[in-house]
Amino acid sequence: MKHLKKCHIPMAIVTSSYRKNILPTFRQLGLDNYIDVIVGREDVENVKPDPDLYLTAVQNLNYNPTNCMAIEDSVNGATAAILAGLDVIVNTNIMTKEQDFSSI
């Protein structure tokens, strides 16, 4: 993240959670030094797997989705990013490691 910031590459957090629920951890981790945009459940009508969250983030960053990449940990998140036109890297976690990503 330090390298991306140094290279002036903007970053966003796209979450199906409410922003207020992630902000304490976000600030505790010091991510406010790196993240330019946070898009949460309250910003869109439909959450993941709908692409609205990603489309809103990309618009707020003033980028074309084809010039963006998402790092996702769930099938719903990866599906949303793909439907929005982003390339995706999947990095599962303890709760999503058993999900079947073969359909996306």
Side-chain angles (χ1 to χ4, degrees):
M1 292 179 79
K2 287 179 185 178
H3 179 73
L4 294 175
K5 189 70 170 181
K6 184 177 177 181
C7 294
H8 306 286
I9 298 173
M11 292 173 273
I13 290 180
V14 174
T15 179
S16 292
S17 298
Y18 288 101
R19 192 179 304 106
K20 68 179 183 178
N21 293 337
I22 70 157
L23 283 178
T25 302
F26 172 82
R27 290 186 181 118
Q28 183 181 23
L29 294 173
L31 296 178
D32 47 342
N33 295 318
Y34 302 101
I35 302 299
D36 303 288
V37 170
I38 300 173
V39 180
R41 171 180 290 276
E42 64 270 34
D43 299 311
V44 296
E45 273 192 46
N46 302 302
V47 296
K48 303 171 187 178
D50 192 273
D52 287 358
L53 287 163
Y54 274 105
L55 292 172
T56 300
V58 168
Q59 183 179 19
N60 288 344
L61 291 171
N62 200 30
Y63 269 77
N64 183 315
T66 59
N67 297 101
C68 298
M69 179 186 68
I71 301 172
E72 267 296 344
D73 63 352
S74 70
V75 170
N76 280 350
T79 300
I82 290 167
L83 290 174
L86 284 74
D87 288 327
V88 180
I89 293 173
V90 174
N91 184 30
T92 59
N93 63 50
I94 195 164
M95 296 184 331
T96 62
K97 68 181 180 180
E98 301 299 324
Q99 290 185 2
D100 180 8
F101 288 86
S102 65
S103 64
I104 57 172

